[in-house]
Amino acid sequence: MLNFDFKNPTKIIFGKGQMAVLPKEIPADAKILLLYGGGSIKKNGIYEQVKEALSDFEVVEFGGIPANPEYQVLLKALEIIKSEKITFLLAVGGGSVIDGTKFLSSAALYEGEDPWEILKKPIRTFVGMPFGCVLTLPATGSEMNSGAVITRADSKEKLGMGGPGLFPQFSILDPEVIQSIPVRQLENGIVDAFNHVLEQYITFPAGASLQDRFAESILQTLIEVGPKVIENPSDYAAASNFMWSCTMALNGLIQKGVPTDWAVHAIGHELTALFGIDHARTLAIIGPNHYQYNFEAKKEKLAQYAERVWGISNGSVEEKAQAGIDKTKSFYTQLNVSYKLSDYTADYNGVATTIANRLDARGWVKLGENKNITPKDVEKIVEMSY
Ligand code: NZQ
Ligand code: ZN
């Protein structure tokens, strides 16, 4: 096992009816900016619940943060934070609203000229404006981690940021919200969380038995409850296990003591930046080909995955490893998530080179757990995904 340090200060408030505790988690004298997305919270009753819970507070609202949170939109919220002298941010939404709020938490206290530098350089955030979350869509784990991904449409960029100052103070997770989520977003949530685990697990053996079993248990749980949630979003047992699996997949715990990959996300983000493809679907497109391309380096963990997660006990290491990749693809098909780029855009010709050049220009020339995946390799992986 590798050395590590681990601190996660986010308080999770999990379960039915937990919105009631919201007022107790925010300082009584706070001036709150309530941040939300395109309006789903106004259709499913979450907006009313939040407003009722905050009735004793001074609240300013900012709605309209789009999926793949857009920098220019967030700058408008930043102006409000400054002009209204906001002291606390409350994100009510999925990963996009929470990530947008993390950017604002950082930008509100940023002393430099141009807040884009937080993403471009990037600059780590050690102290941000305090914020909490009401999670409406299980998927990203953003509700219990300190990372964010922000999009800039004018330059077609999608860049990450983070730092120990960007953990939410609290996150309210009520699995009953799942009843209102469109099927496509449920499918996305399962695939995103699944890939978060794979990025921290399909690497090389590091003698971290407990970490491996944490990872495997999350994968097994997603395989078990994912299809049930899609079939019946009112199945509370399935919904609650799905929600907690998504949080556990990316709250930092399972990455401790093990090598991590994250090449699939790095490449996938480019597909979202270029084509607007849903984040999770870009991972389905790139993941299996990334594992195929890096088969030799990853075959031991792929075989372990096939054996322990999919129950494949026969065959050589190579045969099991291949079965692991094939099972992953079948799972995506079962979830109605295509792993072929050409199913999302007709405009894919040459995109492998474009992505390789973009990564090269940014200096992202050594991806993966072995830091040996070059832009040339990325080009081949993307080509395999057409
Ligand atoms: O905007 P509204 O109207 O709220 O609608 C949203 C949005 O259209 C809708 N939705 C959310 N909760 C709902 C709901 N609709 C009905 N009922 C509900 N209860 O779902 C749509 C997608 O929302 P979004 O927040 O974009 O989805 P998700 O949670 O999948 O977040 C994706 C974003 O997170 C980033 C992605 O890159 C992407 O920008 N990621 C963040 C990570 C992190 N911070 O750790 C890690 C991830 O790997 C990922 O990169
Ligand atoms: Zn993801």
Side-chain angles (χ1 to χ4, degrees), residues 341-365:
L341 181 58
S342 47
D343 285 338
Y344 298 92
T345 173
D347 214 14
Y348 55 84
N349 268 328
V351 72
T353 314
T354 306
I355 291 178
N357 290 342
R358 285 166 69 111
L359 298 187
D360 201 19
R362 231 179 273 143
W364 295 8
V365 294

mmCIF file with all atom_site columns, all heavy atoms in Angstrom, residues 341-365:
data_model
loop_
_atom_site.group_PDB
_atom_site.id
_atom_site.type_symbol
_atom_site.label_atom_id
_atom_site.label_alt_id
_atom_site.label_comp_id
_atom_site.label_asym_id
_atom_site.label_entity_id
_atom_site.label_seq_id
_atom_site.pdbx_PDB_ins_code
_atom_site.Cartn_x
_atom_site.Cartn_y
_atom_site.Cartn_z
_atom_site.occupancy
_atom_site.B_iso_or_equiv
_atom_site.pdbx_formal_charge
_atom_site.auth_seq_id
_atom_site.auth_comp_id
_atom_site.auth_asym_id
_atom_site.auth_atom_id
_atom_site.pdbx_PDB_model_num
ATOM 1   N N   . LEU A 1 341 ? -18.471 6.636  -30.139 1.00 0.00 ? 341 LEU A N   1
ATOM 2   C CA  . LEU A 1 341 ? -18.546 8.078  -30.382 1.00 0.00 ? 341 LEU A CA  1
ATOM 3   C C   . LEU A 1 341 ? -19.498 8.407  -31.536 1.00 0.00 ? 341 LEU A C   1
ATOM 4   O O   . LEU A 1 341 ? -20.237 9.395  -31.487 1.00 0.00 ? 341 LEU A O   1
ATOM 5   C CB  . LEU A 1 341 ? -17.133 8.623  -30.666 1.00 0.00 ? 341 LEU A CB  1
ATOM 6   C CG  . LEU A 1 341 ? -17.013 10.126 -30.929 1.00 0.00 ? 341 LEU A CG  1
ATOM 7   C CD1 . LEU A 1 341 ? -17.550 10.953 -29.764 1.00 0.00 ? 341 LEU A CD1 1
ATOM 8   C CD2 . LEU A 1 341 ? -15.550 10.500 -31.201 1.00 0.00 ? 341 LEU A CD2 1
ATOM 9   N N   . SER A 1 342 ? -19.483 7.549  -32.560 1.00 0.00 ? 342 SER A N   1
ATOM 10  C CA  . SER A 1 342 ? -20.310 7.830  -33.739 1.00 0.00 ? 342 SER A CA  1
ATOM 11  C C   . SER A 1 342 ? -21.810 7.794  -33.434 1.00 0.00 ? 342 SER A C   1
ATOM 12  O O   . SER A 1 342 ? -22.608 8.272  -34.233 1.00 0.00 ? 342 SER A O   1
ATOM 13  C CB  . SER A 1 342 ? -19.974 6.851  -34.868 1.00 0.00 ? 342 SER A CB  1
ATOM 14  O OG  . SER A 1 342 ? -19.926 5.541  -34.365 1.00 0.00 ? 342 SER A OG  1
ATOM 15  N N   . ASP A 1 343 ? -22.187 7.231  -32.277 1.00 0.00 ? 343 ASP A N   1
ATOM 16  C CA  . ASP A 1 343 ? -23.604 7.285  -31.901 1.00 0.00 ? 343 ASP A CA  1
ATOM 17  C C   . ASP A 1 343 ? -23.993 8.644  -31.315 1.00 0.00 ? 343 ASP A C   1
ATOM 18  O O   . ASP A 1 343 ? -25.171 8.913  -31.084 1.00 0.00 ? 343 ASP A O   1
ATOM 19  C CB  . ASP A 1 343 ? -23.933 6.193  -30.865 1.00 0.00 ? 343 ASP A CB  1
ATOM 20  C CG  . ASP A 1 343 ? -24.008 4.821  -31.527 1.00 0.00 ? 343 ASP A CG  1
ATOM 21  O OD1 . ASP A 1 343 ? -24.228 4.768  -32.757 1.00 0.00 ? 343 ASP A OD1 1
ATOM 22  O OD2 . ASP A 1 343 ? -23.830 3.816  -30.817 1.00 0.00 ? 343 ASP A OD2 1
ATOM 23  N N   . TYR A 1 344 ? -22.994 9.485  -31.038 1.00 0.00 ? 344 TYR A N   1
ATOM 24  C CA  . TYR A 1 344 ? -23.289 10.787 -30.433 1.00 0.00 ? 344 TYR A CA  1
ATOM 25  C C   . TYR A 1 344 ? -23.068 11.948 -31.390 1.00 0.00 ? 344 TYR A C   1
ATOM 26  O O   . TYR A 1 344 ? -23.636 13.010 -31.214 1.00 0.00 ? 344 TYR A O   1
ATOM 27  C CB  . TYR A 1 344 ? -22.403 11.004 -29.191 1.00 0.00 ? 344 TYR A CB  1
ATOM 28  C CG  . TYR A 1 344 ? -22.642 9.984  -28.104 1.00 0.00 ? 344 TYR A CG  1
ATOM 29  C CD1 . TYR A 1 344 ? -21.888 8.814  -28.030 1.00 0.00 ? 344 TYR A CD1 1
ATOM 30  C CD2 . TYR A 1 344 ? -23.633 10.183 -27.154 1.00 0.00 ? 344 TYR A CD2 1
ATOM 31  C CE1 . TYR A 1 344 ? -22.110 7.873  -27.044 1.00 0.00 ? 344 TYR A CE1 1
ATOM 32  C CE2 . TYR A 1 344 ? -23.863 9.254  -26.154 1.00 0.00 ? 344 TYR A CE2 1
ATOM 33  C CZ  . TYR A 1 344 ? -23.092 8.091  -26.111 1.00 0.00 ? 344 TYR A CZ  1
ATOM 34  O OH  . TYR A 1 344 ? -23.325 7.164  -25.126 1.00 0.00 ? 344 TYR A OH  1
ATOM 35  N N   . THR A 1 345 ? -22.191 11.754 -32.357 1.00 0.00 ? 345 THR A N   1
ATOM 36  C CA  . THR A 1 345 ? -21.911 12.826 -33.317 1.00 0.00 ? 345 THR A CA  1
ATOM 37  C C   . THR A 1 345 ? -21.452 12.229 -34.643 1.00 0.00 ? 345 THR A C   1
ATOM 38  O O   . THR A 1 345 ? -20.782 11.199 -34.667 1.00 0.00 ? 345 THR A O   1
ATOM 39  C CB  . THR A 1 345 ? -20.813 13.784 -32.799 1.00 0.00 ? 345 THR A CB  1
ATOM 40  O OG1 . THR A 1 345 ? -20.479 14.698 -33.844 1.00 0.00 ? 345 THR A OG1 1
ATOM 41  C CG2 . THR A 1 345 ? -19.552 13.056 -32.366 1.00 0.00 ? 345 THR A CG2 1
ATOM 42  N N   . ALA A 1 346 ? -21.836 12.901 -35.734 1.00 0.00 ? 346 ALA A N   1
ATOM 43  C CA  . ALA A 1 346 ? -21.371 12.458 -37.050 1.00 0.00 ? 346 ALA A CA  1
ATOM 44  C C   . ALA A 1 346 ? -20.060 13.164 -37.401 1.00 0.00 ? 346 ALA A C   1
ATOM 45  O O   . ALA A 1 346 ? -19.440 12.903 -38.425 1.00 0.00 ? 346 ALA A O   1
ATOM 46  C CB  . ALA A 1 346 ? -22.431 12.789 -38.094 1.00 0.00 ? 346 ALA A CB  1
ATOM 47  N N   . ASP A 1 347 ? -19.662 14.055 -36.509 1.00 0.00 ? 347 ASP A N   1
ATOM 48  C CA  . ASP A 1 347 ? -18.585 14.995 -36.799 1.00 0.00 ? 347 ASP A CA  1
ATOM 49  C C   . ASP A 1 347 ? -17.250 14.560 -36.197 1.00 0.00 ? 347 ASP A C   1
ATOM 50  O O   . ASP A 1 347 ? -16.433 15.394 -35.851 1.00 0.00 ? 347 ASP A O   1
ATOM 51  C CB  . ASP A 1 347 ? -19.012 16.328 -36.146 1.00 0.00 ? 347 ASP A CB  1
ATOM 52  C CG  . ASP A 1 347 ? -18.555 17.507 -36.954 1.00 0.00 ? 347 ASP A CG  1
ATOM 53  O OD1 . ASP A 1 347 ? -18.168 17.281 -38.110 1.00 0.00 ? 347 ASP A OD1 1
ATOM 54  O OD2 . ASP A 1 347 ? -18.577 18.624 -36.402 1.00 0.00 ? 347 ASP A OD2 1
ATOM 55  N N   . TYR A 1 348 ? -17.050 13.261 -36.062 1.00 0.00 ? 348 TYR A N   1
ATOM 56  C CA  . TYR A 1 348 ? -15.903 12.790 -35.271 1.00 0.00 ? 348 TYR A CA  1
ATOM 57  C C   . TYR A 1 348 ? -14.594 12.697 -36.062 1.00 0.00 ? 348 TYR A C   1
ATOM 58  O O   . TYR A 1 348 ? -13.541 12.545 -35.481 1.00 0.00 ? 348 TYR A O   1
ATOM 59  C CB  . TYR A 1 348 ? -16.224 11.428 -34.641 1.00 0.00 ? 348 TYR A CB  1
ATOM 60  C CG  . TYR A 1 348 ? -16.653 10.388 -35.644 1.00 0.00 ? 348 TYR A CG  1
ATOM 61  C CD1 . TYR A 1 348 ? -15.703 9.658  -36.346 1.00 0.00 ? 348 TYR A CD1 1
ATOM 62  C CD2 . TYR A 1 348 ? -17.997 10.148 -35.888 1.00 0.00 ? 348 TYR A CD2 1
ATOM 63  C CE1 . TYR A 1 348 ? -16.093 8.721  -37.277 1.00 0.00 ? 348 TYR A CE1 1
ATOM 64  C CE2 . TYR A 1 348 ? -18.394 9.211  -36.818 1.00 0.00 ? 348 TYR A CE2 1
ATOM 65  C CZ  . TYR A 1 348 ? -17.445 8.507  -37.512 1.00 0.00 ? 348 TYR A CZ  1
ATOM 66  O OH  . TYR A 1 348 ? -17.824 7.588  -38.430 1.00 0.00 ? 348 TYR A OH  1
ATOM 67  N N   . ASN A 1 349 ? -14.669 12.811 -37.404 1.00 0.00 ? 349 ASN A N   1
ATOM 68  C CA  . ASN A 1 349 ? -13.438 12.651 -38.187 1.00 0.00 ? 349 ASN A CA  1
ATOM 69  C C   . ASN A 1 349 ? -12.373 13.635 -37.751 1.00 0.00 ? 349 ASN A C   1
ATOM 70  O O   . ASN A 1 349 ? -12.628 14.830 -37.670 1.00 0.00 ? 349 ASN A O   1
ATOM 71  C CB  . ASN A 1 349 ? -13.727 12.863 -39.688 1.00 0.00 ? 349 ASN A CB  1
ATOM 72  C CG  . ASN A 1 349 ? -14.038 11.528 -40.334 1.00 0.00 ? 349 ASN A CG  1
ATOM 73  O OD1 . ASN A 1 349 ? -13.499 10.508 -39.912 1.00 0.00 ? 349 ASN A OD1 1
ATOM 74  N ND2 . ASN A 1 349 ? -14.929 11.531 -41.320 1.00 0.00 ? 349 ASN A ND2 1
ATOM 75  N N   . GLY A 1 350 ? -11.190 13.117 -37.439 1.00 0.00 ? 350 GLY A N   1
ATOM 76  C CA  . GLY A 1 350 ? -10.082 13.996 -37.073 1.00 0.00 ? 350 GLY A CA  1
ATOM 77  C C   . GLY A 1 350 ? -10.071 14.417 -35.615 1.00 0.00 ? 350 GLY A C   1
ATOM 78  O O   . GLY A 1 350 ? -9.133  15.079 -35.154 1.00 0.00 ? 350 GLY A O   1
ATOM 79  N N   . VAL A 1 351 ? -11.111 14.029 -34.863 1.00 0.00 ? 351 VAL A N   1
ATOM 80  C CA  . VAL A 1 351 ? -11.175 14.524 -33.487 1.00 0.00 ? 351 VAL A CA  1
ATOM 81  C C   . VAL A 1 351 ? -10.075 13.923 -32.604 1.00 0.00 ? 351 VAL A C   1
ATOM 82  O O   . VAL A 1 351 ? -9.607  14.569 -31.659 1.00 0.00 ? 351 VAL A O   1
ATOM 83  C CB  . VAL A 1 351 ? -12.584 14.323 -32.879 1.00 0.00 ? 351 VAL A CB  1
ATOM 84  C CG1 . VAL A 1 351 ? -12.865 12.880 -32.578 1.00 0.00 ? 351 VAL A CG1 1
ATOM 85  C CG2 . VAL A 1 351 ? -12.727 15.162 -31.620 1.00 0.00 ? 351 VAL A CG2 1
ATOM 86  N N   . ALA A 1 352 ? -9.637  12.708 -32.947 1.00 0.00 ? 352 ALA A N   1
ATOM 87  C CA  . ALA A 1 352 ? -8.563  12.089 -32.157 1.00 0.00 ? 352 ALA A CA  1
ATOM 88  C C   . ALA A 1 352 ? -7.312  12.962 -32.191 1.00 0.00 ? 352 ALA A C   1
ATOM 89  O O   . ALA A 1 352 ? -6.661  13.193 -31.159 1.00 0.00 ? 352 ALA A O   1
ATOM 90  C CB  . ALA A 1 352 ? -8.258  10.692 -32.697 1.00 0.00 ? 352 ALA A CB  1
ATOM 91  N N   . THR A 1 353 ? -7.002  13.485 -33.368 1.00 0.00 ? 353 THR A N   1
ATOM 92  C CA  . THR A 1 353 ? -5.827  14.353 -33.498 1.00 0.00 ? 353 THR A CA  1
ATOM 93  C C   . THR A 1 353 ? -6.065  15.672 -32.772 1.00 0.00 ? 353 THR A C   1
ATOM 94  O O   . THR A 1 353 ? -5.172  16.186 -32.084 1.00 0.00 ? 353 THR A O   1
ATOM 95  C CB  . THR A 1 353 ? -5.540  14.625 -34.994 1.00 0.00 ? 353 THR A CB  1
ATOM 96  O OG1 . THR A 1 353 ? -5.629  13.376 -35.688 1.00 0.00 ? 353 THR A OG1 1
ATOM 97  C CG2 . THR A 1 353 ? -4.175  15.224 -35.210 1.00 0.00 ? 353 THR A CG2 1
ATOM 98  N N   . THR A 1 354 ? -7.264  16.209 -32.929 1.00 0.00 ? 354 THR A N   1
ATOM 99  C CA  . THR A 1 354 ? -7.590  17.477 -32.239 1.00 0.00 ? 354 THR A CA  1
ATOM 100 C C   . THR A 1 354 ? -7.382  17.325 -30.740 1.00 0.00 ? 354 THR A C   1
ATOM 101 O O   . THR A 1 354 ? -6.753  18.173 -30.094 1.00 0.00 ? 354 THR A O   1
ATOM 102 C CB  . THR A 1 354 ? -9.071  17.862 -32.510 1.00 0.00 ? 354 THR A CB  1
ATOM 103 O OG1 . THR A 1 354 ? -9.273  17.875 -33.915 1.00 0.00 ? 354 THR A OG1 1
ATOM 104 C CG2 . THR A 1 354 ? -9.418  19.210 -31.908 1.00 0.00 ? 354 THR A CG2 1
ATOM 105 N N   . ILE A 1 355 ? -7.905  16.246 -30.178 1.00 0.00 ? 355 ILE A N   1
ATOM 106 C CA  . ILE A 1 355 ? -7.794  16.059 -28.728 1.00 0.00 ? 355 ILE A CA  1
ATOM 107 C C   . ILE A 1 355 ? -6.326  15.874 -28.334 1.00 0.00 ? 355 ILE A C   1
ATOM 108 O O   . ILE A 1 355 ? -5.852  16.478 -27.364 1.00 0.00 ? 355 ILE A O   1
ATOM 109 C CB  . ILE A 1 355 ? -8.665  14.868 -28.261 1.00 0.00 ? 355 ILE A CB  1
ATOM 110 C CG1 . ILE A 1 355 ? -10.147 15.234 -28.412 1.00 0.00 ? 355 ILE A CG1 1
ATOM 111 C CG2 . ILE A 1 355 ? -8.335  14.473 -26.822 1.00 0.00 ? 355 ILE A CG2 1
ATOM 112 C CD1 . ILE A 1 355 ? -11.123 14.145 -28.046 1.00 0.00 ? 355 ILE A CD1 1
ATOM 113 N N   . ALA A 1 356 ? -5.604  15.072 -29.098 1.00 0.00 ? 356 ALA A N   1
ATOM 114 C CA  . ALA A 1 356 ? -4.189  14.850 -28.787 1.00 0.00 ? 356 ALA A CA  1
ATOM 115 C C   . ALA A 1 356 ? -3.439  16.190 -28.799 1.00 0.00 ? 356 ALA A C   1
ATOM 116 O O   . ALA A 1 356 ? -2.633  16.477 -27.906 1.00 0.00 ? 356 ALA A O   1
ATOM 117 C CB  . ALA A 1 356 ? -3.579  13.882 -29.800 1.00 0.00 ? 356 ALA A CB  1
ATOM 118 N N   . ASN A 1 357 ? -3.738  17.032 -29.786 1.00 0.00 ? 357 ASN A N   1
ATOM 119 C CA  . ASN A 1 357 ? -3.053  18.332 -29.883 1.00 0.00 ? 357 ASN A CA  1
ATOM 120 C C   . ASN A 1 357 ? -3.422  19.247 -28.707 1.00 0.00 ? 357 ASN A C   1
ATOM 121 O O   . ASN A 1 357 ? -2.579  19.977 -28.191 1.00 0.00 ? 357 ASN A O   1
ATOM 122 C CB  . ASN A 1 357 ? -3.409  19.034 -31.201 1.00 0.00 ? 357 ASN A CB  1
ATOM 123 C CG  . ASN A 1 357 ? -2.775  18.309 -32.389 1.00 0.00 ? 357 ASN A CG  1
ATOM 124 O OD1 . ASN A 1 357 ? -1.833  17.527 -32.220 1.00 0.00 ? 357 ASN A OD1 1
ATOM 125 N ND2 . ASN A 1 357 ? -3.301  18.545 -33.578 1.00 0.00 ? 357 ASN A ND2 1
ATOM 126 N N   . ARG A 1 358 ? -4.698  19.191 -28.313 1.00 0.00 ? 358 ARG A N   1
ATOM 127 C CA  . ARG A 1 358 ? -5.132  20.048 -27.186 1.00 0.00 ? 358 ARG A CA  1
ATOM 128 C C   . ARG A 1 358 ? -4.413  19.634 -25.898 1.00 0.00 ? 358 ARG A C   1
ATOM 129 O O   . ARG A 1 358 ? -3.973  20.477 -25.120 1.00 0.00 ? 358 ARG A O   1
ATOM 130 C CB  . ARG A 1 358 ? -6.649  19.948 -27.001 1.00 0.00 ? 358 ARG A CB  1
ATOM 131 C CG  . ARG A 1 358 ? -7.433  20.727 -28.059 1.00 0.00 ? 358 ARG A CG  1
ATOM 132 C CD  . ARG A 1 358 ? -8.896  20.344 -28.063 1.00 0.00 ? 358 ARG A CD  1
ATOM 133 N NE  . ARG A 1 358 ? -9.578  20.803 -26.873 1.00 0.00 ? 358 ARG A NE  1
ATOM 134 C CZ  . ARG A 1 358 ? -10.508 21.766 -26.840 1.00 0.00 ? 358 ARG A CZ  1
ATOM 135 N NH1 . ARG A 1 358 ? -10.878 22.363 -27.953 1.00 0.00 ? 358 ARG A NH1 1
ATOM 136 N NH2 . ARG A 1 358 ? -11.088 22.128 -25.726 1.00 0.00 ? 358 ARG A NH2 1
ATOM 137 N N   . LEU A 1 359 ? -4.308  18.323 -25.678 1.00 0.00 ? 359 LEU A N   1
ATOM 138 C CA  . LEU A 1 359 ? -3.626  17.859 -24.459 1.00 0.00 ? 359 LEU A CA  1
ATOM 139 C C   . LEU A 1 359 ? -2.146  18.225 -24.520 1.00 0.00 ? 359 LEU A C   1
ATOM 140 O O   . LEU A 1 359 ? -1.559  18.673 -23.526 1.00 0.00 ? 359 LEU A O   1
ATOM 141 C CB  . LEU A 1 359 ? -3.790  16.342 -24.288 1.00 0.00 ? 359 LEU A CB  1
ATOM 142 C CG  . LEU A 1 359 ? -5.223  15.812 -24.114 1.00 0.00 ? 359 LEU A CG  1
ATOM 143 C CD1 . LEU A 1 359 ? -5.201  14.329 -23.775 1.00 0.00 ? 359 LEU A CD1 1
ATOM 144 C CD2 . LEU A 1 359 ? -5.993  16.558 -23.038 1.00 0.00 ? 359 LEU A CD2 1
ATOM 145 N N   . ASP A 1 360 ? -1.568  18.058 -25.689 1.00 0.00 ? 360 ASP A N   1
ATOM 146 C CA  . ASP A 1 360 ? -0.153  18.379 -25.887 1.00 0.00 ? 360 ASP A CA  1
ATOM 147 C C   . ASP A 1 360 ? 0.102   19.855 -25.563 1.00 0.00 ? 360 ASP A C   1
ATOM 148 O O   . ASP A 1 360 ? 1.022   20.202 -24.812 1.00 0.00 ? 360 ASP A O   1
ATOM 149 C CB  . ASP A 1 360 ? 0.217   18.075 -27.354 1.00 0.00 ? 360 ASP A CB  1
ATOM 150 C CG  . ASP A 1 360 ? 1.711   17.887 -27.525 1.00 0.00 ? 360 ASP A CG  1
ATOM 151 O OD1 . ASP A 1 360 ? 2.382   17.638 -26.507 1.00 0.00 ? 360 ASP A OD1 1
ATOM 152 O OD2 . ASP A 1 360 ? 2.193   18.006 -28.659 1.00 0.00 ? 360 ASP A OD2 1
ATOM 153 N N   . ALA A 1 361 ? -0.746  20.733 -26.113 1.00 0.00 ? 361 ALA A N   1
ATOM 154 C CA  . ALA A 1 361 ? -0.578  22.181 -25.917 1.00 0.00 ? 361 ALA A CA  1
ATOM 155 C C   . ALA A 1 361 ? -0.671  22.544 -24.434 1.00 0.00 ? 361 ALA A C   1
ATOM 156 O O   . ALA A 1 361 ? -0.053  23.496 -23.974 1.00 0.00 ? 361 ALA A O   1
ATOM 157 C CB  . ALA A 1 361 ? -1.646  22.933 -26.710 1.00 0.00 ? 361 ALA A CB  1
ATOM 158 N N   . ARG A 1 362 ? -1.467  21.783 -23.699 1.00 0.00 ? 362 ARG A N   1
ATOM 159 C CA  . ARG A 1 362 ? -1.640  22.057 -22.272 1.00 0.00 ? 362 ARG A CA  1
ATOM 160 C C   . ARG A 1 362 ? -0.546  21.411 -21.421 1.00 0.00 ? 362 ARG A C   1
ATOM 161 O O   . ARG A 1 362 ? -0.525  21.567 -20.212 1.00 0.00 ? 362 ARG A O   1
ATOM 162 C CB  . ARG A 1 362 ? -3.012  21.491 -21.854 1.00 0.00 ? 362 ARG A CB  1
ATOM 163 C CG  . ARG A 1 362 ? -3.849  22.506 -21.108 1.00 0.00 ? 362 ARG A CG  1
ATOM 164 C CD  . ARG A 1 362 ? -5.189  21.912 -20.738 1.00 0.00 ? 362 ARG A CD  1
ATOM 165 N NE  . ARG A 1 362 ? -6.172  22.063 -21.785 1.00 0.00 ? 362 ARG A NE  1
ATOM 166 C CZ  . ARG A 1 362 ? -7.097  21.154 -22.094 1.00 0.00 ? 362 ARG A CZ  1
ATOM 167 N NH1 . ARG A 1 362 ? -7.144  20.001 -21.449 1.00 0.00 ? 362 ARG A NH1 1
ATOM 168 N NH2 . ARG A 1 362 ? -7.973  21.379 -23.042 1.00 0.00 ? 362 ARG A NH2 1
ATOM 169 N N   . GLY A 1 363 ? 0.302   20.632 -22.086 1.00 0.00 ? 363 GLY A N   1
ATOM 170 C CA  . GLY A 1 363 ? 1.376   19.958 -21.354 1.00 0.00 ? 363 GLY A CA  1
ATOM 171 C C   . GLY A 1 363 ? 0.916   18.690 -20.658 1.00 0.00 ? 363 GLY A C   1
ATOM 172 O O   . GLY A 1 363 ? 1.617   18.164 -19.790 1.00 0.00 ? 363 GLY A O   1
ATOM 173 N N   . TRP A 1 364 ? -0.254  18.189 -21.050 1.00 0.00 ? 364 TRP A N   1
ATOM 174 C CA  . TRP A 1 364 ? -0.751  16.944 -20.439 1.00 0.00 ? 364 TRP A CA  1
ATOM 175 C C   . TRP A 1 364 ? -0.210  15.771 -21.266 1.00 0.00 ? 364 TRP A C   1
ATOM 176 O O   . TRP A 1 364 ? -0.922  15.151 -22.025 1.00 0.00 ? 364 TRP A O   1
ATOM 177 C CB  . TRP A 1 364 ? -2.281  16.921 -20.435 1.00 0.00 ? 364 TRP A CB  1
ATOM 178 C CG  . TRP A 1 364 ? -2.899  17.975 -19.570 1.00 0.00 ? 364 TRP A CG  1
ATOM 179 C CD1 . TRP A 1 364 ? -2.284  19.009 -18.940 1.00 0.00 ? 364 TRP A CD1 1
ATOM 180 C CD2 . TRP A 1 364 ? -4.288  18.089 -19.240 1.00 0.00 ? 364 TRP A CD2 1
ATOM 181 N NE1 . TRP A 1 364 ? -3.197  19.773 -18.248 1.00 0.00 ? 364 TRP A NE1 1
ATOM 182 C CE2 . TRP A 1 364 ? -4.428  19.237 -18.407 1.00 0.00 ? 364 TRP A CE2 1
ATOM 183 C CE3 . TRP A 1 364 ? -5.427  17.344 -19.563 1.00 0.00 ? 364 TRP A CE3 1
ATOM 184 C CZ2 . TRP A 1 364 ? -5.659  19.643 -17.901 1.00 0.00 ? 364 TRP A CZ2 1
ATOM 185 C CZ3 . TRP A 1 364 ? -6.648  17.753 -19.067 1.00 0.00 ? 364 TRP A CZ3 1
ATOM 186 C CH2 . TRP A 1 364 ? -6.757  18.883 -18.229 1.00 0.00 ? 364 TRP A CH2 1
ATOM 187 N N   . VAL A 1 365 ? 1.064   15.505 -21.095 1.00 0.00 ? 365 VAL A N   1
ATOM 188 C CA  . VAL A 1 365 ? 1.735   14.558 -21.990 1.00 0.00 ? 365 VAL A CA  1
ATOM 189 C C   . VAL A 1 365 ? 2.089   13.244 -21.305 1.00 0.00 ? 365 VAL A C   1
ATOM 190 O O   . VAL A 1 365 ? 2.668   12.354 -21.922 1.00 0.00 ? 365 VAL A O   1
ATOM 191 C CB  . VAL A 1 365 ? 3.007   15.194 -22.600 1.00 0.00 ? 365 VAL A CB  1
ATOM 192 C CG1 . VAL A 1 365 ? 2.622   16.349 -23.516 1.00 0.00 ? 365 VAL A CG1 1
ATOM 193 C CG2 . VAL A 1 365 ? 3.951   15.694 -21.517 1.00 0.00 ? 365 VAL A CG2 1
#
